[in-house]
Amino acid sequence: MAEKPTSGELFGVPYNFERPKLSKLLSSYWQPGEGMLVEKPFGVGYTLNLANWRSWVVLAVAGVLLYQQQGSEGDSEDSAVDEAVEVVVDDD
């Protein structure tokens, strides 16, 4: 049976299924001088390079959006219980 490659590129998307060492895992998320996205140390695709300031902006925006979403879910439940609804039935 033919040996399948454990790393490479498929349709322009990198993949790597070799078991990473802890040092390689940590260093892959901090690569000064590289772009905002870097290849994942394990799996398919790209991940954020935490040495790039743009990655921190993306994380901050995602955190704010998550915070707003969780806050709005709590508000909608409270307002539905507190508000009274008047129903008018017109018998013709």
Side-chain angles (χ1 to χ4, degrees):
M1 191 166 170
E3 181 79 21
K4 293 183 181 181
T6 57
S7 64
E9 198 169 291
L10 184 63
F11 301 113
V13 179
Y15 66 91
N16 186 1
F17 294 112
E18 297 172 356
R19 175 177 259 160
K21 294 182 180 177
L22 183 61
S23 60
K24 182 181 178 189
L25 189 68
L26 294 175
S27 67
S28 64
Y29 291 102
W30 191 268
Q31 296 181 12
E34 294 292 323
M36 184 174 86
L37 296 175
V38 292
E39 291 183 14
K40 283 181 139 184
F42 183 80
V44 178
Y46 297 94
T47 189
L48 292 174
N49 179 10
L50 297 178
N52 191 315
W53 64 271
R54 291 180 197 102
S55 299
W56 291 101
V57 172
V58 169
L59 289 174
V61 168
V64 167
L65 292 174
L66 182 63
Y67 178 76
Q68 285 180 340
Q69 180 184 5
Q70 289 178 347
S72 66
E73 288 175 356
D75 293 342
S76 64
E77 292 173 2
D78 294 339
S79 63
V81 173
D82 294 339
E83 294 180 15
V85 177
E86 182 178 343
V87 178
V88 178
V89 178
D90 187 21
D91 292 333
D92 284 328

